[in-house]
């Protein structure tokens, strides 16, 4: 049984498991306490490197929870924090017995302070701001302490609101100036009128924030934050998925959902349509439009509709979504004020941006292919039907039909996904052999292998990565690098996530659960290692050809997160490098030389440094003239980076014949989306260099093969 459980953990990088660690029963009727019992048990029994819940844990958790609850220090008073601190070394004891007294105290105080702040911000915004005063606002809240009294709290909010209003003031002033330049007869608004209008815009914006976000949160939402802070003390990738979050996670991994295909937002008690997903039922129906306000929802088997005005958006969505083939009638208010009933038949909505896509490009008489993979997606219920490896294989076959002589696999910004998918995908490029090694605490390592001897593509291969490429992307890049199967081009190192998560459905831990849905826990259960033995944890995958990018100087990797697991290594797996005639060393040397003299990359690096310097600037003037001067200086400095967006290669990208056949019967805007993608590829210096490398590999293959034959 234990062996089967270990295998189950290996099956999915992020998969829903129906497992139980023990026969232990949990029976607390209080749902919050029951959730605490289950989660702490799962953490201690199942985490790769469980930490002791002691006074040290308690102190760290206290600091993190206060910071997450009030990061800008604009709700709590110093006296609140002092009261909370009496629990600082007791939280661990509370957690062990599922006591949530600390949460109850902090949460009730937070809700009290939020109500008080509503009066403060309205009072502050009822009076004009004086932008001639020389004062500053620091956006780095670590530089400030909690306020001592209401007077200080009002002053903190005054500066925050004045800073927010300043950008509105500048926008309106610029609009008035431009209108005057276009039409000399235009009567410009006075400074007082501009100030008042800007202040009203801030008031409207902050009203929306409190009404549509803060006030929409229920106790279970606040408690989910508390629970998540506990689990993230173990490592950055162990996190709690509340019931709604569990559903969103599944949608992200599948890249599809069942519903009407519309993105919704709450705006002051009203649910508004903000986007129609291309190809979805609402998009096809052509009746529902962006900016429509949904007032009522009626199911096909119901006589009367449900009024959703004022309803929490998550609750409203439950009425609007539904199984494929069912009908829902929406009563909507159009922009012109008319009321209309729109009936939509729900369907499976595919979020195509999630899926693999390919393009063909000609260069110096040779045909190359580019495959972009945003994620290693999978359908947990039917792996054979939907997974990234299967789709990439299909794209390879389509590119081969176009005469492809080299392939670029673009994994930039790919945050990972399914472990089986990456093992299968690596197998598309090698005959057979190990792909990745995984290890659980106290257990021997297991080597996950490609056992399919067939090869989808045995030609030149380049993999593009950046600092955001993580997890499964790193497994793929590392395996191809270790086999000397591909040349990796990109950032100095990838994200550096060397851990494996298993999503545990917490409801499966209970027998006869009557407390409602407890959600799920993404639990770090293993670490993975390259077949050469090293971990990518913290260190990531180091590119063969290192090039600067927009994230080069920004802290975005695993090493910059709180509580990451350490780097380590194990013995290498038994594998043999790819036997081929490609001259990787010489090709890499040529690429490094080109990149070192590439003016576009030099400009990108300068821009990345400049962006980092702007991020580090946290103190801003609240004097409008000084503020305006600083903006104009920044805009002037930024102009030297305009050439980055203006860059254009002489390459032309096109869709495969297969995809072009889809355009004929296209019911979505697929063709337009592909045209935009192809345009971005033609301006991409990294893609350009990847194709240069493929060209060099092709040439080195011919030379090396002839030399080998002569020998």
């Amino acid at each position: 049984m234990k062996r089967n459980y270990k295998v189950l953990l290996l099956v999915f990088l992020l998969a829903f498991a129906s497992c139980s660690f023990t026969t232990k029963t949990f029976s607390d009727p209080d749902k919050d306490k029951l959730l605490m019992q289950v989660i702490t048990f799962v953490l201690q029994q199942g985490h790769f490197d469980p930490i002791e819940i002691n006074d040290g844990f308690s102190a760290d958790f206290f600091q993190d929870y206060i910071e997450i609850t009030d990061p800008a220090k604009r709700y709590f008073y110093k006296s609140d924090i002092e009261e909370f601190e009496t629990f600082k070394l007791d939280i661990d004891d509370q957690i062990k017995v599922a006591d949530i007294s600390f949460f109850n105290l902090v949460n009730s105080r937070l809700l009290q302070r939020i109500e008080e702040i509503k009066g403060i911000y309205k009072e502050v915004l009822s009076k004009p701001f004086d932008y001639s005063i020389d004062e500053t606002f620091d956006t780095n809240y670590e530089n400030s302490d909690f306020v001592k009294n209401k007077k200080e709290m009002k002053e903190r909010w005054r500066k925050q609101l004045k800073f927010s209003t300043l950008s509105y003031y500048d926008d309106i002033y610029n609009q008035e100036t431009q209108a005057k330049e276009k039409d000399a007869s235009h009567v410009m608004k006075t400074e007082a009128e501009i100030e008042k209008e800007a202040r009203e815009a801030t008031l409207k914006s902050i009203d929306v924030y409190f009404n549509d976000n803060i006030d929409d949160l229920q106790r279970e939402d606040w408690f989910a934050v508390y629970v998540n802070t506990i689990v993230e003390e173990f490592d950055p990738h162990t996190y709690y998925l509340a019931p709604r979050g569990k559903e969103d996670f599944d949608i992200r991994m599948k890249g599809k959902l069942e519903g009407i295909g519309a993105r919704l937002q709450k705006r002051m008690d009203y649910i508004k349509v903000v986007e129609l997903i291309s190809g979805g039922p609402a998009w096809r129906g052509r009746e529902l439009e962006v900016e429509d306000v949904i007032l009522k929802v009626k199911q096909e088997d119901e006589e009367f509709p449900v009024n959703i005005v004022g309803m929490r958006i998550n609750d409203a969505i439950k009425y609007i979504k539904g199984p494929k083939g069912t009908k829902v009638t929406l009563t909507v208010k159009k922009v012109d004020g008319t009321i209309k009933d729109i009936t939509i038949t729900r369907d499976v909505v595919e979020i195509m941006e999630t899926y693999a896509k390919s393009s063909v490009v000609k260069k110096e008489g040779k045909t190359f292919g580019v495959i972009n993979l945003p994620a290693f997606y999978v359908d947990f219920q039917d792996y054979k039907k939907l997974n990234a490896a299967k789709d990439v294989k299909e794209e390879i076959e389509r590119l081969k039909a176009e005469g492809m002589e080299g392939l670029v696999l673009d994994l930039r910004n790919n945050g990972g996904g399914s472990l089986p998918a990456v093992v299968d995908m690596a197998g598309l490029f090698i005959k057979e052999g190990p792909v990745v090694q995984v290890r659980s605490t106290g257990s021997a390592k297991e080597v996950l292998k490609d056992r399919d001897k067939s090869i989808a593509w045995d030609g030149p291969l380049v993999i593009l990565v950046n600092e955001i490429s993580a997890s499964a992307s790193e497994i793929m890049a590392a395996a191809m690098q270790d086999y000397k199967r591909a040349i990796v081009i990109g950032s100095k190192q990838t994200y550096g996530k060397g851990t494996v998560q298993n999503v545990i459905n917490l409801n499966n831990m209970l027998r006869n659960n009557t407390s409602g849905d407890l959600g799920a826990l993404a639990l770090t259960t293993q670490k993975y290692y390259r077949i050469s033995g090293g971990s990518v944890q913290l260190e990531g995958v180091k590119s063969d050809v290192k090039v600067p990018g927009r994230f080069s100087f920004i802290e975005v990797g695993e090493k910059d997160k709180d509580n990451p697991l350490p780097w380590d290594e194990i013995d290498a797996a038994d594998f043999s490098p790819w036997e081929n005639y490609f001259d990787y060393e010489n090709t890499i040397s040529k690429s490094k030389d080109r990149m070192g003299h590439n003016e576009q990359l030099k400009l990108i690096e300068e821009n990345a440094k400049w962006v980092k310097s702007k991020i580090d600037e946290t103190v801003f003037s609240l004097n409008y003239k000084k503020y305006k001067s600083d903006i104009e200086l920044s805009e002037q400095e930024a102009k030297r980076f305009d050439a980055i967006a203006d860059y254009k290669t002489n390459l032309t990208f096109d869709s495969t014949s297969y995809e072009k056949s889809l355009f004929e019967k296209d019911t979505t805007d697929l063709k337009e989306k592909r045209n935009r993608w192809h345009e971005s590829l033609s301006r991409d210096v990294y893609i350009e260099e990847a194709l240069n490398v493929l060209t060099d590999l092709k040439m080195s293959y011919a030379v090396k093969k002839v030399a080998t034959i002569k020998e």
Side-chain angles (χ1 to χ4, degrees):
M1 177 65 186
K2 282 186 177 180
R3 174 67 180 174
N4 289 339
Y5 175 63
K6 285 181 184 177
V7 171
L8 182 61
L9 284 179
L10 291 173
V11 170
F12 293 121
L13 171 66
L14 288 169
F16 285 92
S18 299
C19 56
S20 174
F21 295 92
T22 179
T23 56
K24 179 180 175 69
T25 58
F26 305 93
S27 57
D28 198 311
D30 185 308
K31 183 178 178 181
D32 291 343
K33 294 182 179 182
L34 179 65
L35 178 61
M36 289 289 292
Q37 286 182 333
V38 174
I39 278 188
T40 52
F41 180 77
V42 172
L43 284 168
Q44 292 297 331
Q45 297 297 313
H47 193 273
F48 176 83
D49 188 18
I51 57 178
E52 186 179 353
I53 299 179
N54 54 21
D55 285 354
F57 176 97
S58 185
D60 290 341
F61 168 79
F62 175 85
Q63 188 67 35
D64 292 339
Y65 183 57
I66 296 301
E67 188 174 314
I68 288 171
T69 306
D70 188 10
K73 299 174 183 173
R74 57 182 185 180
Y75 295 120
F76 292 136
Y77 292 90
K78 197 171 186 62
S79 59
D80 293 327
I81 302 302
E82 290 171 351
E83 182 179 354
F84 300 156
E85 282 181 335
T86 61
F87 289 84
K88 191 171 185 176
L89 299 181
D90 297 332
I91 302 169
D92 57 316
D93 300 316
Q94 289 190 7
I95 291 174
K96 290 173 183 176
V97 295
D99 182 347
I100 56 175
S101 300
F102 178 66
F103 165 76
N104 287 334
L105 171 63
V106 175
N107 186 243
S108 61
R109 187 65 51 79
L110 176 65
L111 296 179
Q112 175 190 337
R113 297 305 186 210
I114 286 173
E115 288 305 309
E116 292 171 0
I117 292 304
K118 289 179 182 179
I120 289 177
Y121 82 72
K122 288 175 182 176
E123 181 184 350
V124 169
L125 289 171
S126 68
K127 301 172 184 177
F129 291 122
D130 184 351
Y131 291 117
S132 66
I133 299 174
D134 284 325
E135 58 180 347
T136 59
F137 177 69
D138 191 349
T139 58
N140 185 351
Y141 302 106
E142 292 183 3
N143 295 331
S144 59
D145 198 358
F146 288 95
V147 300
K148 297 177 182 178
N149 49 53
K150 188 173 182 179
K151 181 180 179 181
E152 289 184 5
M153 181 67 79
K154 184 177 177 181
E155 175 63 10
R156 177 157 296 177
W157 273 87
R158 183 191 69 80
K159 282 196 171 185
Q160 169 75 66
L161 294 168
K162 185 176 182 181
F163 177 68
S164 300
T165 306
L166 195 52
S167 62
Y168 285 119
Y169 184 96
D170 186 52
D171 288 341
I172 299 169
Y173 182 84
N174 289 337
Q175 291 169 9
E176 288 297 300
T177 301
Q178 291 168 7
K180 185 67 174 179
E181 290 173 353
K182 290 180 180 179
D183 182 3
S185 64
H186 174 75
V187 179
M188 288 184 62
K189 295 174 182 175
T190 65
E191 289 186 6
E193 289 173 330
I194 293 175
E195 189 280 332
K196 183 174 184 293
E197 188 175 331
R199 209 163 10 96
E200 289 172 347
T202 298
L203 178 61
K204 182 177 180 181
S205 176
I206 201 166
D207 277 344
V208 166
Y209 170 74
F210 276 96
N211 186 79
D212 300 349
N213 295 284
I214 301 298
D215 292 351
D216 230 19
L217 297 173
Q218 295 185 338
R219 179 188 166 84
E220 63 181 10
D221 300 310
W222 294 112
F223 191 65
V225 174
Y226 181 77
V227 171
N228 203 46
T229 309
I230 292 174
V231 303
E232 286 187 349
E233 294 296 323
F234 284 70
D235 78 281
H237 303 290
T238 291
Y239 55 92
Y240 173 60
L241 287 160
R244 171 70 182 170
K246 183 174 66 175
E247 183 181 349
D248 291 341
F249 166 83
D250 200 24
I251 290 171
R252 288 197 307 272
M253 288 301 294
K254 286 183 179 181
K256 61 182 180 181
L257 56 87
E258 291 187 32
I260 66 171
R263 299 191 196 278
L264 310 173
Q265 281 186 355
K266 187 177 179 184
R267 281 292 177 265
M268 302 302 289
D269 288 337
Y270 292 100
I271 305 299
K272 180 182 289 188
V273 178
V274 294
E275 182 186 353
L276 299 177
I277 299 174
S278 298
W283 185 90
R284 295 197 302 265
R286 298 177 182 272
E287 289 187 276
L288 192 67
E289 298 174 299
V290 171
E291 294 298 316
D292 283 354
V293 173
I294 303 175
L295 305 175
K296 301 177 184 178
V297 181
K298 187 175 81 70
Q299 312 303 323
E300 62 182 353
D301 58 349
E302 295 178 346
E303 184 177 357
F304 300 106
V306 174
N307 189 321
I308 64 170
V309 175
M311 187 179 289
R312 295 175 72 233
I313 188 166
N314 288 345
D315 294 333
I317 288 173
K318 290 177 184 177
Y319 287 99
I320 297 169
K321 286 177 63 177
K324 174 184 178 180
T326 59
K327 293 182 178 180
V328 62
T329 299
L330 308 178
T331 300
V332 304
K333 182 178 181 180
K334 293 290 187 178
V335 177
D336 62 6
T338 59
I339 307 296
K340 182 179 181 181
D341 284 346
I342 299 174
T343 299
I344 301 172
T345 301
R346 301 179 178 109
D347 200 353
V348 173
V349 181
E350 293 189 345
I351 307 171
M352 295 190 66
E353 290 77 6
T354 302
Y355 300 147
K357 58 180 180 284
S358 66
S359 179
V360 182
V361 58
K362 303 270 187 190
K363 185 178 187 298
E364 298 176 8
K366 295 179 177 61
T367 302
F368 297 119
V370 177
I371 294 179
N372 176 270
L373 186 69
F376 286 81
Y377 50 86
V378 63
D379 186 336
F380 294 126
Q381 310 304 320
D382 193 346
Y383 179 81
K384 291 183 178 180
K385 182 178 179 181
L386 177 65
N387 70 78
K390 170 178 169 289
D391 288 356
V392 166
K393 183 178 182 179
E394 289 177 352
E395 295 298 339
I396 289 173
E397 295 304 320
R398 291 162 188 163
L399 289 167
K400 284 163 67 174
E402 304 289 336
M404 177 175 69
E405 299 175 69
L407 174 63
V408 178
L409 179 61
D410 190 352
L411 300 181
R412 290 174 295 176
N413 303 320
N414 183 320
S418 164
L419 183 56
V422 70
V423 173
D424 287 347
M425 193 178 300
L428 301 177
F429 304 101
I430 59 174
K431 189 173 183 180
E432 60 181 335
V435 173
V436 64
Q437 305 184 93
V438 290
R439 183 175 67 86
S440 303
T441 300
S443 301
K445 72 175 184 181
E446 297 200 37
V447 182
L448 305 187
K449 300 180 178 181
D450 164 46
R451 302 182 185 278
D452 185 348
K453 294 185 178 182
S454 65
I455 302 175
W457 177 247
D458 61 359
L461 177 64
V462 169
I463 295 179
L464 287 177
V465 297
N466 63 4
E467 292 86 353
I468 309 300
S469 303
S471 191
S473 294
E474 295 176 287
I475 293 175
M476 182 69 188
M480 296 299 98
Q481 194 177 58
D482 288 342
Y483 273 107
K484 289 193 177 297
R485 178 64 189 88
I487 290 178
V488 179
I489 301 176
S491 52
K492 182 180 178 182
Q493 71 164 70
T494 51
Y495 189 86
K497 178 182 178 292
T499 57
V500 179
Q501 282 70 44
N502 182 239
V503 174
I504 308 296
N505 188 330
L506 298 176
N507 301 294
N508 293 339
M509 300 294 296
L510 307 174
R511 292 190 177 93
N512 304 316
N513 177 25
T514 59
S515 299
D517 194 346
L518 296 183
L521 182 68
L523 184 69
T524 296
T525 55
Q526 296 173 310
K527 289 178 79 173
Y528 71 80
Y529 302 82
R530 301 174 69 132
I531 53 177
S532 56
S535 172
V536 304
Q537 179 66 12
L538 303 182
E539 294 193 357
V541 177
K542 294 175 173 55
S543 299
D544 297 310
V545 180
K546 300 175 181 62
V547 290
R550 57 180 176 150
F551 302 114
S552 293
F553 302 97
I554 301 174
E555 297 176 350
V556 295
E558 180 86 353
K559 64 183 181 300
D560 303 308
K561 302 300 178 185
D562 293 331
N563 312 315
L565 296 184
W567 179 92
D568 63 338
E569 59 183 333
I570 59 176
D571 293 335
D574 184 15
F575 74 100
S576 299
W578 178 259
E579 294 182 3
N580 60 78
Y581 294 104
F582 300 122
D583 189 341
Y584 282 102
E585 285 70 24
N586 189 43
T587 300
I588 290 171
S589 178
K590 286 183 177 181
S591 180
K592 287 181 177 178
D593 185 61
R594 275 193 302 267
M595 295 294 90
H597 294 86
N598 189 295
E599 294 301 320
Q600 175 75 349
L601 286 177
K602 289 179 181 178
L603 193 60
I604 288 174
E605 183 171 27
E606 288 178 23
N607 180 241
K609 290 178 180 178
W610 182 77
V611 169
K612 177 63 167 66
S613 72
K614 290 301 175 185
I615 291 174
D616 292 341
E617 290 178 7
T618 63
V619 179
F620 298 89
S621 175
L622 297 181
N623 177 294
Y624 180 62
K625 289 184 178 179
K626 180 67 168 63
Y627 173 86
K628 184 70 172 176
S629 176
D630 291 341
I631 287 180
E632 290 174 348
L633 178 60
S634 291
E635 290 175 347
Q636 193 63 35
E637 290 175 347
K639 284 182 180 179
R640 64 191 176 102
F641 302 120
D642 289 347
I644 293 175
D646 296 336
Y647 187 76
K648 188 82 168 66
T649 71
N650 60 356
L651 301 168
T652 302
F653 295 81
D654 201 0
S655 290
T656 61
S657 298
Y658 168 80
E659 196 165 65
K660 286 179 179 178
S661 69
L662 298 180
F663 297 161
E664 305 290 330
K665 49 187 176 182
D666 186 24
T667 57
T668 72
D669 56 354
L670 176 62
K671 185 176 181 180
E672 175 61 25
K673 286 182 177 179
R674 289 298 182 264
N675 287 340
R676 292 182 183 180
W677 179 48
H678 295 158
E679 175 65 21
S680 70
L681 289 177
S682 71
R683 298 176 177 275
D684 193 327
V685 66
Y686 306 101
I687 287 287
E688 181 183 37
E689 178 56 21
L691 296 174
N692 288 334
V693 169
L694 289 178
T695 302
D696 289 345
L697 283 174
K698 284 290 293 181
M699 292 179 65
S700 73
Y701 178 87
V703 172
K704 199 172 180 182
K705 185 172 183 180
V706 169
T708 304
I709 292 173
K710 285 182 178 179
E711 291 175 3

